[in-house]
């Protein structure tokens, strides 16, 4: 994403900020300034430039890519994104020995942490008249970013937060935001209560509302089905997933690398990403589940032909129909097809 520069009368100061390494979005080191436990399993980490310089602004719902030990993980930013002097991420310990656990076990104030971004995959619609914000569990982090941005510009929003008792992160901040005119907070602590609130809120929104949700898969599935039942158009229903459903092995196909002409046969159960990397074509990747967009690559060929099995949860219908890109970690060619990748 392109960082939004803060406005100011001193044009030279703004230019110097733009040139400062901390004000960019490529890989760089930030210093950990605070480590704050929020719940028994969620910790908030505050990051800043080592010399205190301003950081790149970002759209609400953006994330950082963090090098956590041997892993690269994406974590949502919780701020409103406007001219930040620090970044905040809240991380849940998952108990699987992965990158999130590494952050909990190793990070202390004063440590340096390599990050990339901010990157935007869950941005708000700028001309929305109202927002319905739905969070489940640790999915509260991007929703909090959206809520803070709405409050900062004097907008209106309904916030629905579903959580287990004793495991609510950032509930106090949401409650403080809900003290502003036009912002309301609704809480649910059971599955039944969450479903009832979703039905109620989806049925009672003003024209021009856009809905945003982030949380575990069952919550998002209910959100999508209930929104459809309530007559919401797809263009007004947005979500961010942390995980994706299990996929079948897929069909065999062939990928041709445009820059070299090399033909790569891709067998069932092998991803195009794995095949490209194994053949010496490095493609950045992160989630390997089709939910982050990191491994998007270009396609060459006729749009609209049935050559690609799009299995990701990032590209919209129009992007898939255009036929000019795919997420190579999960999407693949159709059975026996040949696709040309722009590498």
């Amino acid at each position: 994403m392109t960082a939004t520069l803060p406005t100011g009368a001193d044009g030279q100061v703004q230019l110097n900020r733009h040139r400062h390494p901390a004000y960019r979005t490529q890989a760089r080191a930030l210093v950990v300034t605070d480590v704050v436990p929020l719940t028994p399993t969620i910790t908030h980490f505050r990051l800043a430039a080592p010399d205190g310089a301003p950081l790149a602004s970002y759209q609400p719902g953006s994330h950082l890519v963090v090098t956590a030990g041997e892993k690269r993980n994406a974590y949502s930013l919780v701020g409103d994104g406007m001219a930040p002097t620090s970044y905040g991420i809240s991380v849940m310990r998952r108990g699987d020995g992965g990158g999130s656990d590494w952050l909990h076990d190793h990070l202390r104030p004063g440590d340096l942490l390599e990050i990339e971004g901010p990157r935007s995959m869950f941005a708000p619609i700028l001309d929305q008249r109202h927002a319905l914000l739905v969070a489940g569990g640790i999915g509260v982090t991007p929703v909090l970013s959206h809520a803070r941005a709405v409050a900062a510009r004097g907008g209106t929003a309904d916030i629905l937060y579903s959580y287990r008792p004793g495991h609510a992160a950032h509930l106090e901040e949401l409650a403080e935001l809900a003290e502003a005119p036009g912002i309301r907070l609704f809480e649910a602590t059971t599955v039944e209560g969450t479903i009832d609130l979703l039905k109620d809120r989806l049925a009672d929104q003003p024209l021009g509302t856009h809905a945003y949700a982030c949380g575990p898969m069952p919550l998002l599935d209910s959100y999508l089905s209930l929104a459809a039942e309530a007559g919401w158009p797809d263009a007004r229903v947005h979500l961010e997933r942390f995980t994706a459903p299990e996929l079948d092995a897929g069909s065999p196909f062939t990928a041709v690398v445009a820059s070299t002409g090399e033909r790569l046969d891709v067998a069932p159960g092998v991803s195009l990403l794995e095949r490209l990397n194994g053949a010496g074509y490095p493609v950045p990747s992160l989630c390997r589940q089709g939910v982050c967009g990191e491994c998007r690559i270009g396609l060459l060929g006729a749009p609209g032909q049935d050559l690609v099995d799009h299995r990701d949860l990032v590209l919209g219908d129009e992007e898939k129909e255009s036929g000019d890109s795919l997420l190579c970690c999960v999407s693949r060619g159709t059975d026996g097809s040949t696709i040309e990748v722009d590498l």
Side-chain angles (χ1 to χ4, degrees), residues 206-296:
L207 291 175
T209 298
H210 281 258
Y212 307 84
C214 185
M217 195 179 304
L219 171 67
L220 297 182
D221 289 343
S222 297
Y223 162 76
L224 289 175
S225 63
L226 292 172
E229 289 177 14
W232 283 64
D234 291 344
R236 293 187 180 273
V237 180
H238 316 278
L239 75 163
E240 183 171 65
R241 296 182 185 267
F242 291 145
T243 58
E246 291 290 331
L247 297 172
D248 59 50
S251 301
F253 68 100
T254 299
V256 178
V257 181
S259 60
T260 64
E262 184 175 2
R263 299 175 64 88
L264 303 175
D265 293 327
V266 186
V270 177
S271 72
L272 177 56
L273 173 65
E274 293 173 306
R275 195 70 178 87
L276 289 168
N277 285 342
Y281 301 96
V283 176
S285 64
L286 195 59
C287 73
R288 299 195 173 213
Q289 298 182 80
V291 298
C292 76
E294 186 79 2
C295 68
R296 183 171 181 167

Side-chain angles (χ1 to χ4, degrees), residues 134-141 143 160-163 194 213-216 219-220 242:
V134 179
I138 192 61
V140 70
T141 50
V143 167
L160 193 165
Y161 187 15
S162 174
Y163 59 87
T194 301
C214 185
L219 171 67
L220 297 182
F242 291 145

